[in-house]
């Protein structure tokens, strides 16, 4: 499952700030850490190349690039691929990518590419997606028809194209036989051969597609899409020929050594994830590090059969965030929130959102499944999808979730549920579409609706989060880490990504509220839900630049996603005009000093655990220092690299403030991972002893590293501090990496170990040479 580390370097000592890698250092074939870069036309390959020396000095081993293949012009993310055979010209083309890879290699770094097998763009102009253009022109006979999940029978032989701003009228179309196109305003569609001379109504009926109002997608769409985004059409990579055509360029880049690893976007959208991953593994070989974007439930595990290194790391985010959340305070916040807003609890909210999304936004997908299931099974299909406890089932599993079967039986009837269960077991095509729809439903109903409606503690409403149970005990954290080290030691781990709704720094501040629930009070405003969300969001963002404008944009997106008073498709301008009025003035927040201290302890503790625990940690662009970001597009602003600050710290200057503390801690751990990877193997939980033992989370990596973090620091201070609490260390003499000259043996008093900062990183003396 994991790939071995190939890099070896020798050293004699570990200074407080480990020196940057030399330009002649060999690359590791599997990352010790990754650094995510969001490529855009404004930040192309050349800009990434210019950042390589800094990123090498920071200590990362690989740069993780957002999608690099040709995409819709101007795309700010690259997930809307239009041509799998070309590297995106707006980023610098293939020459730019290869130049970046060469510069990275010269500094001892590798590249990880983010690839998008599940879908392609339905772009404007449509010609940009040649396979789709040809299918629309030539219909099912096109050699590209096998590329896309299109139900030709449901559309009466036509593909619904929901791209028009209003209901179609024949008089608004014109045919241009010289160019072989049908026009509607600035939109162009391909003309089917032999139809140019027909009258317009007959011409439209004769095409292999039906241009339609964008609203018609909800009920009439007959192609698989990404979630509810009709501009992204599903691709059938389960077909070997489609796989070969859509992966040829990526495989070439891997073979040529341009890429050392791959991130697989939205693996749950694929018909057969395991089959796809096995085909990919056979193509890239065992030396390529592969992780999948897979959202796991708290008790769910990645299928052990999958030939990957692990996930992209949202399961780690859940654990790291959770262990810094006060369970009693979170429960108190939930009670206060429900009384103040009149909102339902988490389970009821999640179930209601699932029903809304399935029967509304995904009505076309539900209707397709009901038709496939046949008479008498529609209720079973609907209720099983709503009740399913995780994102989706997989081929080869013994059957559907027993929990879902039991919950669905009451409203749907046991016969309908049993019928759907049997259909899933005997019909692979139905099972695949059921699973794909389930994944889309979970993502849209939880991440993009329920997480915006249920807001007692916003730090818990994160990708992969569990708002109904936001806190995690130290024992649960240790169990997860031990399992990760045993089963998936090279799995990715993350705290901030391009998809997180709030960066780790913002969540660290918000989660501190779980230790002081009364601080929330009763925020003013006619809409108590929005007032509560606005107060927490403002507290999380703090005094960041362009604060007011960024808060308004995040809140506006939130109310549209929540769909209680307005939505993306049915906007209420009058309600939306009130949103800006809910942004609190900075003076209104009145942040107590002890709450700021708790937020600092949370942030440094989360950083330490993330970078010292098992797995391959990823640092999001700019998040090596303080990085306060809200939901996209706020979290996709241009990267800012603290080059000068890192150089000053490397020269021996003391860290000034929380941002520099985080940078110093991050660089120290990334460089240790790079230079002494064997330190980061094995995992042993350490237990403090004394009256405040529950506030210390500590573990050892048996090769010679100890990490200790303060948790729930505000509650700790209120109880009298560490007092006589001690941490028994493993045998040996231990040097504090962040405090040169400090050394410990045996039992160490936590009041001494954590006097300067809420975290400690210790290395055993006499560890010998670097690996």
């Amino acid at each position: 499952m994991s790939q071995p580390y190939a890099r070896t370097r020798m050293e004699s000592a570990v200074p407080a700030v480990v020196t940057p890698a030399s330009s002649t250092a060999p690359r590791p074939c599997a990352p010790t850490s990754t650094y995510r870069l969001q490529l855009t036309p404004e930040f192309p390959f050349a800009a990434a190349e210019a950042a390589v020396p800094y990123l090498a000095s920071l200590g990362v081993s690989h740069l993780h690039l957002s999608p690099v293949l040709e995409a819709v012009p101007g795309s700010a993310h690259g997930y809307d691929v239009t041509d799998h055979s070309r590297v995106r010209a707006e980023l610098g083309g293939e020459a730019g990518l290869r130049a970046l890879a060469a510069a990275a290699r010269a500094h001892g770094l590798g590249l990880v590419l983010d690839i998008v097998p599940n879908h392609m763009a339905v772009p404007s102009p449509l010609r940009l997606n040649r396979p789709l253009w040809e299918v629309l022109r030539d219909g099912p006979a096109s050699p590209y028809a096998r590329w896309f999940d299109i139900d030709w029978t449901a559309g009466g032989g036509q593909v619904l194209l929901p791209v028009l701003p209003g209901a179609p009228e024949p008089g608004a179309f014109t045919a241009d036989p010289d160019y072989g196109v049908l026009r509607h305003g600035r939109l162009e569609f391909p003309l089917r051969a032999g139809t140019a001379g027909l009258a317009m109504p007959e011409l439209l009926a004769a095409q292999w597609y039906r241009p339609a109002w964008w609203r018609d997608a909800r009920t009439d769409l007959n192609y698989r899409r990404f979630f509810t985004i009709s501009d992204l059409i599903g691709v059938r990579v389960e077909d070997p020929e489609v796989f070969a055509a859509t992966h040829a360029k990526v495989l070439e880049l891997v073979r040529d050594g341009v890429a050392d690893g791959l991130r697989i976007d939205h693996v749950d959208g694929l018909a057969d994830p395991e089959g796809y991953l096995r085909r990919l593994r056979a193509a890239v070989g065992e030396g390529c590090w592969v992780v999948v974007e897979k959202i796991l439930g708290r008790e769910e595990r990645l299928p052990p059969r999958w030939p990957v290194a692990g996930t992209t790391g949202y399961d780690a985010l859940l654990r790291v965030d959770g262990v810094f959340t006060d369970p009693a305070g979170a429960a108190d916040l939930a009670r206060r929130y429900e009384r103040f807003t009149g909102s339902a609890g988490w389970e009821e909210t999640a179930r209601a959102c699932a029903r809304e999304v399935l029967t509304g936004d995904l009505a076309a997908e539900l209707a397709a499944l009901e038709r496939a299931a046949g008479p008498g099974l529609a209720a079973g299909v609907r209720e099983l999808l709503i009740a399913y406890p995780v994102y989706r089932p997989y081929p080869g599993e013994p059957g559907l979730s027993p929990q879902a079967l039991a919950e669905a039986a009451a409203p749907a009837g046991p016969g309908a549920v049993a019928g759907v269960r049997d259909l899933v077991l005997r019909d692979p095509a139905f099972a695949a579409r059921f699973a794909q729809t389930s994944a889309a439903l979970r993502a849209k109903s939880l991440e993009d609706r329920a997480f915006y409606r249920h807001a007692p503690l916003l730090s818990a409403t994160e990708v992969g989060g569990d708002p109904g149970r936001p806190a995690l005990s130290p024992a649960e954290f240790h169990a997860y880490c031990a399992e990760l080290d045993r089963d998936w030691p090279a799995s990715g781990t993350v705290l901030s990504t391009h998809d997180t709704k709030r960066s780790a720094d913002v969540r660290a501040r918000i989660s501190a509220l779980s230790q002081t629930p009364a601080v929330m009070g009763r925020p003013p405003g006619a809409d108590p839900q929005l007032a509560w969300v606005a107060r927490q969001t403002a507290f999380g963002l703090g005094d960041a630049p362009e604060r007011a404008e960024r808060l308004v944009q995040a809140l506006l997106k939130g109310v549209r996603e929540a769909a209680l008073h307005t939505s993306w498709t049915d906007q209420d301008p009058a309600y939306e005009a009130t949103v800006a009025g809910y942004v609190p003035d900075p003076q209104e927040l009145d942040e107590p000093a002890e709450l700021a201290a708790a937020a600092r302890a949370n942030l440094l503790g989360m950083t330490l655990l993330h970078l010292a625990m098992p797995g391959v940690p990823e640092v999001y662009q700019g998040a090596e220092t303080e990085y306060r970001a809200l939901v996209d597009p706020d979290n996709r602003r241009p990267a800012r690299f603290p080059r000068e600050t890192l150089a000053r710290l490397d020269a021996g200057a003391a860290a000034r403030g929380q941002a520099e503390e985080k940078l110093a801690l991050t660089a120290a751990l990334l460089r240790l991972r790079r230079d002494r990877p064997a330190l980061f193997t094995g995992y042993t939980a350490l237990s403090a002893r004394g009256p405040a033992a529950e506030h210390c989370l500590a573990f050892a990596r048996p090769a010679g590293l100890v990490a200790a973090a303060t948790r729930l620091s505000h509650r700790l201070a209120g109880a009298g501090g560490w007092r006589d609490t001690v941490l028994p260390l493993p045998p040996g003499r231990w040097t504090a990496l962040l405090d040169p000259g400090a050394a410990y043996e045996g039992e160490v008093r936590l009041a001494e170990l954590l006097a300067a900062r809420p975290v400690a990183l210790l290395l055993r003396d006499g560890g010998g040479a670097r690996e």
Side-chain angles (χ1 to χ4, degrees):
M1 289 180 284
S2 63
Q3 308 305 322
Y5 293 108
R7 179 189 226 170
T8 59
R9 286 186 72 235
M10 300 297 292
E11 66 155 343
S12 58
V14 182
V17 179
V18 187
T19 55
S22 71
S23 61
T24 58
R27 290 178 302 154
C29 68
T32 59
S33 62
T34 61
Y35 191 98
R36 171 75 176 205
L37 290 172
Q38 290 297 115
L39 300 169
T40 67
E42 294 72 37
F43 189 86
F45 297 132
E49 183 178 344
V52 163
Y54 161 74
L55 295 172
S57 73
L58 183 63
V60 298
S61 72
H62 285 69
L63 309 184
H64 176 196
L65 307 181
S66 60
V68 302
L69 297 183
E70 198 61 75
V72 171
S75 174
H77 50 77
Y79 290 96
D80 43 3
V81 175
T82 57
D83 187 347
H84 293 92
S85 68
R86 297 171 55 227
V87 176
R88 189 175 175 188
E90 287 181 307
L91 302 181
E94 187 165 341
L97 176 59
R98 289 180 180 269
L100 170 59
R105 187 178 302 113
H107 286 78
L109 306 182
L111 299 186
V112 175
L113 302 183
D114 189 348
I115 67 172
V116 191
N118 177 70
H119 51 266
M120 293 183 73
V122 180
S124 180
L126 280 166
R127 284 183 185 274
L128 293 173
N129 187 335
R130 177 175 169 248
L132 181 59
W133 178 271
E134 295 202 10
V135 170
L136 297 176
R137 185 188 64 203
D138 300 332
S142 167
Y144 289 107
R146 67 195 307 162
W147 277 46
F148 305 107
D149 267 325
I150 297 171
D151 184 352
W152 294 97
T153 59
Q158 291 182 307
V159 181
L160 183 85
L161 281 183
V163 296
L164 302 183
E169 296 184 9
F173 292 89
T174 59
D176 188 339
D178 293 336
Y179 287 91
V181 297
L182 175 68
R183 293 193 176 95
H184 183 284
R186 300 179 65 180
L187 298 174
E188 289 188 349
F189 309 90
L191 271 177
R192 182 178 177 180
T195 64
L198 298 175
M200 189 54 64
E202 289 77 16
L203 183 148
L204 289 172
Q207 303 309 309
W208 290 112
Y209 54 86
R210 177 166 68 89
W213 189 18
W214 61 267
R215 287 185 178 274
D216 291 341
R218 188 180 70 84
T219 54
D220 298 340
L221 197 71
N222 60 332
Y223 59 81
R224 185 174 65 85
R225 55 185 166 172
F226 173 68
F227 297 165
T228 58
I229 304 175
S230 302
D231 290 343
L232 297 172
I233 185 170
V235 177
R236 299 182 61 252
V237 290
E238 64 270 23
D239 184 306
E241 291 187 21
V242 177
F243 176 93
T246 56
H247 288 67
K249 178 54 66 178
V250 167
L251 297 180
E252 175 192 329
L253 295 171
V254 172
R255 284 194 304 270
D256 290 353
V258 174
D260 303 293
L262 300 173
R263 172 199 184 266
I264 313 304
D265 181 65
H266 189 43
V267 73
D268 273 348
L270 307 183
D272 180 8
E274 182 180 348
Y276 167 81
L277 293 170
R278 291 195 178 282
R279 183 172 287 120
L280 180 69
R281 175 59 71 196
V284 299
E286 291 299 321
C288 184
W289 186 69
V290 178
V291 290
V292 292
E293 185 197 28
K294 165 62 189 166
I295 311 302
L296 294 167
R298 184 187 291 267
E299 305 304 328
E300 187 184 12
R301 298 296 180 264
L302 194 66
R305 306 175 302 275
W306 287 11
V308 297
T311 72
T312 54
Y314 289 112
D315 43 306
L317 184 156
L318 170 71
R319 272 74 180 192
V320 173
D321 277 22
V323 83
F324 290 98
T325 302
D326 187 318
D332 189 5
L333 271 173
R335 289 189 292 270
R336 291 170 181 266
Y337 166 78
E338 290 172 18
R339 287 197 300 266
F340 178 61
T341 64
S343 299
W346 167 245
E347 294 298 335
E348 184 178 343
T349 299
R351 184 64 63 89
C353 289
R355 191 172 297 279
E356 279 181 27
V357 170
L358 181 62
T359 58
D361 305 70
L362 293 173
E365 286 79 359
L366 175 61
L369 274 176
E370 290 175 342
R371 287 193 301 271
L377 298 183
V381 169
R382 182 178 62 251
E383 298 302 329
L384 273 171
L385 285 169
I386 292 169
Y388 214 76
V390 294
Y391 270 59
R392 60 165 282 174
Y394 297 102
E397 292 182 346
L400 295 175
S401 158
Q403 174 187 338
L405 292 169
E407 290 185 12
V417 169
V420 177
R421 177 200 61 201
D422 294 343
L423 193 57
V424 167
L425 290 173
R426 72 171 187 267
D427 185 340
F430 179 86
R433 188 51 60 90
F434 180 95
Q436 290 170 309
T437 305
S438 178
L441 174 61
R442 289 278 87 69
K444 293 304 296 180
S445 68
L446 294 182
E447 294 177 33
D448 293 345
R449 184 155 302 177
F451 280 10
Y452 288 94
R453 285 192 188 177
H454 185 80
L457 185 65
L458 290 177
S459 57
T461 57
E462 194 47 83
V463 181
D466 184 359
R469 188 187 159 200
L472 194 82
S473 71
E476 290 173 303
F477 177 84
H478 289 313
Y480 168 77
C481 287
E483 183 178 296
L484 193 66
D485 183 70
R486 182 190 69 225
D487 297 338
W488 304 97
S491 183
T493 64
V494 295
L495 289 185
S496 299
T497 76
H498 63 290
D499 278 334
T500 46
K501 291 173 170 44
R502 298 160 195 89
S503 67
D505 303 61
V506 171
R507 298 196 312 275
R509 291 172 57 81
I510 293 174
S511 66
L513 295 171
S514 70
Q515 300 178 57
T516 58
V519 170
M520 276 302 298
R522 298 179 66 84
D527 182 349
Q529 162 83 6
L530 177 55
W532 184 280
V533 170
R535 182 169 176 80
Q536 281 201 11
T537 305
F539 178 77
L541 189 61
D543 58 354
E546 303 171 6
R547 171 186 175 275
E549 179 183 349
R550 293 167 64 190
L551 284 170
V552 170
Q553 292 305 311
L555 294 175
L556 186 59
K557 179 170 183 173
V559 296
R560 289 174 177 171
E561 296 284 14
L564 291 170
H565 305 285
T566 186
S567 70
W568 292 108
T569 56
D570 292 292
Q571 294 176 16
D572 183 335
Y575 176 83
E576 292 187 0
T578 70
V579 169
Y582 285 83
V583 173
D585 291 331
Q587 298 84 355
E588 292 178 24
L589 293 178
D590 191 24
E591 179 180 325
E594 60 270 22
L595 200 55
R600 170 179 175 253
N602 282 356
L603 179 59
L604 294 180
M606 291 162 65
T607 302
L608 175 74
L609 298 193
H610 176 220
L611 297 177
M613 68 189 283
V616 176
E618 173 154 292
V619 176
Y620 188 64
Q621 59 181 27
E624 63 270 31
T625 185
E626 188 170 57
Y627 176 71
R628 298 185 191 177
L630 303 176
V631 70
D632 70 275
D634 191 66
N635 59 10
R636 301 179 188 182
R637 290 171 297 147
R640 296 179 179 178
F641 307 111
R643 295 177 175 89
E644 294 77 13
T645 303
L646 183 61
R648 186 170 54 79
L649 293 173
D650 284 347
R656 299 179 304 205
Q658 181 173 300
E660 293 189 7
E661 283 185 300
K662 182 185 178 187
L663 177 60
L665 177 61
T666 299
L669 276 160
L670 291 176
R671 292 166 178 178
L672 269 180
R673 281 184 165 271
R674 177 195 69 198
D675 298 332
R676 299 184 62 185
L679 275 178
F680 297 87
T681 56
Y683 186 87
T684 302
L686 300 180
S687 298
R689 291 206 305 263
E694 66 175 333
H695 291 281
C696 175
L697 192 146
F699 56 84
R701 310 304 300 267
L705 181 145
V706 165
T710 305
R711 58 184 297 270
L712 313 185
S713 63
H714 180 67
R715 293 284 173 100
L716 170 67
W722 291 112
R723 290 160 283 168
D724 296 327
T725 307
V726 298
L727 178 65
L729 298 174
R733 185 174 184 272
W734 295 85
T735 298
L737 185 64
L738 303 175
D739 297 300
Y744 308 93
E745 290 184 75
E747 290 187 347
V748 57
R749 295 182 67 250
L750 286 171
E752 178 185 356
L753 180 67
L754 302 174
R757 62 185 61 81
V759 298
L761 181 61
L762 308 179
L763 295 178
R764 183 189 283 121
D765 288 357
R770 290 187 184 178
E771 299 81 4

